[in-house]
């Protein structure tokens, strides 16, 4: 079993839909959670960064962490065709010398006009 | 904004060649990383470095080596390229070894094909 599980998709939604992307993990020591967006033929770019449980909002994006369930989510409101990309979750432990991250495999999202 | 630059976007090499992939970051980051990304396998860590002349093996170091002679530059070397090293290679950097949990910032990758 992988340490971080993420449905590879593809997830296809119409423009304007609310998108929910999710990751589950097994390591209860993970404290820091990140979402990266990766467009085709480009490197991952950091989208959201959260610590421990709770919600964080940035424009149309909301990151949610439920540590009791070992489950994190990224919500995209009013999705746009430009949101079509692969979304990677990543996480790390506290006191993590060297900033090592554990990544999910990524979910491919397609937003249709 | 952090800028991580990989010298080549696309590279085609032959089996047995020695291949150099270069990465430069402009934010004085201490930590640098090399990953490969393959469909169905996700990101896998090859090597990382905390400081100049320091290197640590990641999950899949076999067939690779690295060099970090200057803080801003981290090179990945394929000693004798093989076809199973055809992949997307991603370089990343993060701020400081002793400031834990800094996010990593990625370059745009080098798509390497070994014929």
């Amino acid at each position: 079993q992988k340490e971080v599980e993420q449905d590879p998709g593809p997830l296809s939604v119409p423009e304007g839909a609310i998108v929910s992307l999710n990751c589950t993990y097994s390591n209860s020591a993970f404290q820091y959670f990140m979402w990266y967006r990766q467009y085709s033929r480009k490197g991952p770019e950091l989208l959201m960064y959260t610590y421990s449980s709770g919600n964080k909002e940035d424009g149309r994006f909301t990151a949610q962490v439920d540590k009791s369930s070992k489950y994190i989510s990224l919500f995209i409101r009013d999705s746009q065709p430009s949101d079509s990309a692969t979304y990677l979750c990543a996480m790390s432990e506290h006191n993590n010398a060297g900033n090592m991250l554990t990544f999910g495999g990524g979910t491919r999202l397609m937003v249709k006009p | 904004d952090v800028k991580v630059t990989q010298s080549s976007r696309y590279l085609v090499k032959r089996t047995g060649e020695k291949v150099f992939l270069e990465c430069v970051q402009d934010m004085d980051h201490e930590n640098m990383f090399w990953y490969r990304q393959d469909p169905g396998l996700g990101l896998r860590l090859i090597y990382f470095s905390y400081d100049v002349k320091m290197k640590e093996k990641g999950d899949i170091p076999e067939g690779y080596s690295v060099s970090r002679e200057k803080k801003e530059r981290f090179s990945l070397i394929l000693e004798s390229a093989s076809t199973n090293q055809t992949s997307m290679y991603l370089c990343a950097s993060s701020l400081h070894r002793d400031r834990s949990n800094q996010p990593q910032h990625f370059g745009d990758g080098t798509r390497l094909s070994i014929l």
Side-chain angles (χ1 to χ4, degrees):
Chain A
Q1 185 189 4
K2 291 181 182 177
E3 222 173 349
V4 179
E5 298 277 2
Q6 192 174 4
D7 188 329
L11 176 63
S12 182
V13 301
E15 183 175 355
I18 296 175
V19 175
S20 173
L21 303 166
N22 310 296
C23 287
T24 59
Y25 61 94
S26 56
N27 184 354
S28 58
F30 287 143
Q31 298 269 5
Y32 295 83
F33 304 92
M34 284 140 268
W35 285 95
Y36 287 85
R37 178 177 61 196
Q38 185 175 20
Y39 291 116
S40 181
R41 295 185 174 84
K42 302 279 277 183
E45 60 175 315
L46 183 67
L47 205 55
M48 299 287 281
Y49 177 54
T50 56
Y51 168 69
S52 197
S53 287
N55 291 0
K56 182 176 181 178
E57 190 173 319
D58 184 1
R60 295 185 296 111
F61 299 90
T62 300
Q64 192 173 81
V65 175
D66 181 350
K67 290 190 68 186
S68 61
S69 302
K70 299 192 183 69
Y71 189 88
I72 68 170
S73 301
L74 178 71
F75 297 98
I76 307 174
R77 289 185 299 280
D78 187 25
S79 56
Q80 303 294 310
S82 59
D83 295 326
S84 298
T86 296
Y87 289 81
L88 301 161
C89 64
M91 43 199 81
S92 66
E93 300 180 18
H94 191 58
N95 293 326
N96 172 25
N99 312 148
M100 304 301 292
L101 297 180
T102 301
F103 289 88
T107 298
R108 186 174 162 219
L109 172 67
M110 295 188 295
V111 181
K112 306 282 179 131
Chain B
D1 275 358
V2 176
K3 183 75 172 173
V4 179
T5 303
Q6 295 184 232
S7 55
S8 303
R9 291 296 307 278
Y10 301 94
L11 211 51
V12 180
K13 296 291 182 181
R14 296 205 173 274
T15 303
E17 279 193 71
K18 191 168 186 176
V19 181
F20 293 86
L21 303 183
E22 305 287 344
C23 175
V24 176
Q25 49 90 8
D26 67 355
M27 287 301 291
D28 203 34
H29 282 180
E30 290 200 351
N31 304 321
M32 296 189 76
F33 307 83
W34 275 106
Y35 295 89
R36 63 178 285 178
Q37 186 176 34
D38 300 287
L41 296 176
L43 281 161
R44 292 182 290 168
L45 182 64
I46 305 170
Y47 267 98
F48 59 101
S49 169
Y50 294 141
D51 202 351
V52 176
K53 297 195 184 295
M54 291 186 67
K55 60 184 178 183
E56 298 282 347
K57 292 180 180 179
D59 299 320
I60 52 162
E62 295 78 20
Y64 303 94
S65 62
V66 290
S67 173
R68 190 142 180 226
E69 296 296 318
K70 292 185 178 181
K71 189 175 185 178
E72 68 270 19
R73 187 180 297 271
F74 192 34
S75 303
L76 179 69
I77 304 154
L78 285 66
E79 297 291 343
S80 177
S82 63
T83 55
N84 64 10
Q85 292 178 309
T86 291
S87 187
M88 172 74 141
Y89 288 87
L90 289 162
C91 175
S93 71
S94 66
L95 183 60
H96 195 289
R97 178 183 183 181
D98 294 327
R99 286 186 61 185
S100 58
N101 311 302
Q102 297 299 307
Q104 293 178 17
H105 300 270
F106 286 84
D108 274 340
T110 296
R111 190 167 291 276
L112 175 65
S113 295
I114 307 295
L115 304 180

